[in-house]
Amino acid sequence: MQISIEKQPAAEVQADALIVPVFEGAKEMRFGAADLVDSGEIAGKSLELTLLHHVPGVAATRVLLAGAGKPEKFTAAELRKLVAAAVRLLRGKSVKKVAFEPDPDHSGTDYVSAAVEGAILGNYEPDRLKTADPKKSLDQFSVVGTGEGVEVAAERGRILAEAQNFTRDLVNEPANLLPPSKMAAAARQMAAEYGLLCEVLEQSQMEALGMGALLGVSQGSAEPPALIVIGYRPAETTSKSHLGLVGKGVTFDTGGISIKPAEGMEKMKYDMAGGAAMIGAIRAIAQLKPPIPVTAFVPCVENMPGSRAQRPGDIVTAMSGKTIEVLNTDAEGRLILADALVYARRQGCTHLVDAATLTGAIVVALGHLNVGLFSNDDAMRDRVLQAAKAEGERMWPMPLEDDYKEYLKSAFADLGNIGGRWGGAITAAMFLKEFAEETPWVHLDIAGTAYLDDAKPFLAKGPTGLPLRTLVRLAMEWRD
Ligand code: BES
Ligand code: MN
Ligand code: ZN
């Protein structure tokens, strides 16, 4: 989709549709909204969409009145959803060119970026492999605006949303078409395109490094593992920090020998969503050029119950030297992340964020609305929470106290890979903490938020791309 800026008045813009926000309780109305509000037909409630045709004085063929809710609650995140919902309605009607005019009170650069993001995210449909239905999508989205920084803001929005759709494409790819080797190839290609460093560690290199926890998970599959490393280096930096983004890349999670029930197992293709978000984040970072070095680490494996699969009770040695009793082969994400976190630290990362579809327990705790956030460092936690808030990616802090460590006791090894029945998301995070050690680190459990089971008016069913925008903002706003 083409993104452009229109400098002429909204009423004069040639388009198939002009999107106009309508606020609850607003007195002054433009473009045919006044009559409908007076008659009680529309109220301006959030995401209420009303399509008008041939509005007098408007050059666009249609006007879409887009309910924006209460003006004081209308954040950039709300606008992103609203434009996305509007675009999803219009694309279904074979509309090709859409223009949008922000209202004067909500027209700053954050709003412009959010509108562009909404358009690109809403225009996305995970239908790459459908051959029958004709694909309807918008060709062009224009923001009407003459304010300062509009172009830059629109461009930032485009970069972020296209990176997010790139992540969504990766996540949506079925596991037969995207085993670890293919995920690595996709990362390599992306890195070459955007001038990023890229190295993919193969099995023999991981063996030499002593990544026993990762290799234990991988050994049940005929697909070889891959550890993707992608580096962004700023042209000039005075920063002493180096941000490491570590993402779980389980291209399919059967559970291994501790096998999962059949129902819903098809969704386990999205068990690499954390890794895909890191690859997408660094794609955007390469274009937006923050002042600090950032490296993404994505351990990719397939968790299968093959004849060489690890067994419950097996004891593996992680790269840090710690021994782990694998009490449940389905708690595999933490095993591969353990080695990746240690590797990231050895590569010089001073700060770490990981994202992983790690536990069903986080979905029990927070539902599908909030990412579970865990950290060993208050300042780091606050940085990530602040970035998340600005981006409208909801995250909720969870406890990570030393007392929980007891839950991970093993009779025969340094630690077990599962805790007991309770606090499953916390014990998983506690396990990772053993490998992040003293490095300031945030763990994001995205099992409930990386994937939408049912489409929303503003987002297609399937991968969401979370928490990419938060990570990019974290890097952009980094100060030592
Ligand atoms: N990938 C799953 C977690 C998951 C569950 C993601 C549901 C998305 C939706 C993870 O590898 C897993 O299987 N976790 C187990 C851990 C348990 C064995 C301690 C779980 O949550 O059941
Ligand atoms: Mn699992
Ligand atoms: Zn998993």
Side-chain angles (χ1 to χ4, degrees), residues 173 242 294 428:
E173 208 61 10
H242 179 171
V294 182

Side-chain angles (χ1 to χ4, degrees), residues 5 146 184 229 237 287 294 337 351 404 439 455:
I5 309 291
T146 51
V229 183
T237 184
Q287 298 166 81
V294 182
L337 289 170
H351 296 77
Y404 286 106
T439 305

